[in-house]
Amino acid sequence: MASLQSLICSVSKQLVAPNCAVTSKLNVPPPSVINASWSEASSDEKNVTRRRLALLGAGALATGLLKSSSAYAEEVPKNYKSYVDAKDGYSYLYPADWRDFDFLGHDSAFKDRNVALQCVRVGFIPTRKTDIRDLGPMDEAIFNLVNNVYAAPNQIPTVYDMQERTVDGRNYWTFEYDLEAPGYGVSAFATVAIGNGRYYTLIVTANERRWSRLRNRLKVVADSFKLSDLSA
């Protein structure tokens, strides 16, 4: 819970940390990258190149504003199930073969029954802000969020394309990122939004080695996240 409680403070600082790369289709140049001083730097560059090609071939997150209707999140595609928490004001889709589990500091979570690191979780913390745009420019806020909150000290984060969408008057930011550490890597989508006096975060992850096969499937999860008014 401590990491969640630090989330708003970390984002609101709006500082650009030096060890997080941003690979984006935004027109503005991404923050510069300070090369990591560890022996697998060349392999990291190859991984980033492969990811860029995958983004082009599989359909990257669109940079800009995507207008959506309420029906967008209400339709349940084949091989997915819908999780709705009316009490806490949110809903999302998850793969139908995943099972629920307890994830420390989060309100709900589902994971693959057999494969480690493949999971989705949602958490929220109180905030006085009323819209995700109150955090500042999207690229700066997301950059700082991944670098200062999501990444552990031994992980090198890379942020990929970012998307803003609007559903029923609420704004959402969805973005893709990697967390690289010696010997392993995690890839993820995250969607963040503000409503009901809360800062909500959905994160869906997988092992980096399996990401190319799972990316489109997990993007459906990230794009399905939707807030609703709290029920009595």
Side-chain angles (χ1 to χ4, degrees):
M1 205 57 187
S3 60
L4 282 173
Q5 291 173 341
S6 66
L7 186 151
I8 291 180
C9 294
S10 298
V11 174
S12 61
K13 292 179 182 177
Q14 300 303 317
L15 301 176
V16 178
N19 64 332
C20 178
V22 174
T23 303
S24 175
K25 293 184 179 179
L26 296 171
N27 292 328
V28 296
S32 60
V33 181
I34 294 181
N35 194 19
S37 58
W38 52 305
S39 60
E40 297 183 13
S42 60
S43 64
D44 288 345
E45 293 174 0
K46 293 178 182 178
N47 288 338
V48 171
T49 299
R50 286 196 297 268
R51 174 59 58 80
R52 286 172 177 167
L53 293 174
L55 287 172
L56 292 173
L61 286 170
T63 301
L65 182 63
L66 175 64
K67 300 290 183 180
S68 305
S69 67
S70 59
Y72 168 81
E74 293 171 359
E75 298 175 356
V76 179
K78 184 179 179 181
N79 299 323
Y80 291 87
K81 291 183 179 180
S82 177
Y83 179 83
V84 179
D85 188 335
K87 180 181 177 181
D88 290 311
Y90 68 89
S91 63
Y92 59 93
L93 302 176
Y94 64 94
D97 56 346
W98 287 14
R99 66 176 181 85
D100 65 314
F101 75 111
D102 292 328
F103 196 105
L104 183 63
H106 291 72
D107 189 65
S108 64
F110 294 86
K111 68 177 181 179
D112 189 282
R113 295 177 182 273
N114 302 307
V115 182
L117 299 180
Q118 289 179 203
C119 69
V120 58
R121 69 261 194 187
V122 172
F124 52 82
I125 55 176
T127 180
R128 294 183 179 180
K129 299 183 184 298
T130 59
D131 189 275
I132 198 68
R133 294 178 179 176
D134 294 341
L135 300 178
M138 179 174 68
D139 56 343
E140 294 181 13
I142 289 174
F143 181 86
N144 288 308
L145 178 63
V146 174
N147 188 78
N148 298 326
V149 179
Y150 297 169
N154 68 327
Q155 293 176 319
I156 299 176
T158 302
V159 180
Y160 296 93
D161 288 340
M162 310 168 193
Q163 174 193 49
E164 181 181 273
R165 60 184 169 90
T166 301
V167 180
D168 295 338
R170 285 191 171 100
N171 297 313
Y172 301 77
W173 290 346
T174 297
F175 50 96
E176 181 180 2
Y177 64 93
D178 287 340
L179 299 177
E180 293 281 352
Y184 77 99
V186 177
S187 297
F189 285 115
T191 297
V192 294
I194 290 177
N196 303 317
R198 298 172 174 180
Y199 185 122
Y200 293 85
T201 301
L202 175 145
I203 298 177
V204 56
T205 67
N207 188 298
E208 186 184 38
R209 296 178 181 178
R210 296 175 55 85
W211 189 249
S212 61
R213 287 177 286 172
L214 296 170
R215 181 183 182 277
N216 289 349
R217 186 185 186 196
L218 300 186
K219 185 177 183 293
V220 172
V221 177
D223 285 345
S224 71
F225 188 58
K226 181 182 176 183
L227 304 188
S228 59
D229 294 333
L230 298 180
S231 64

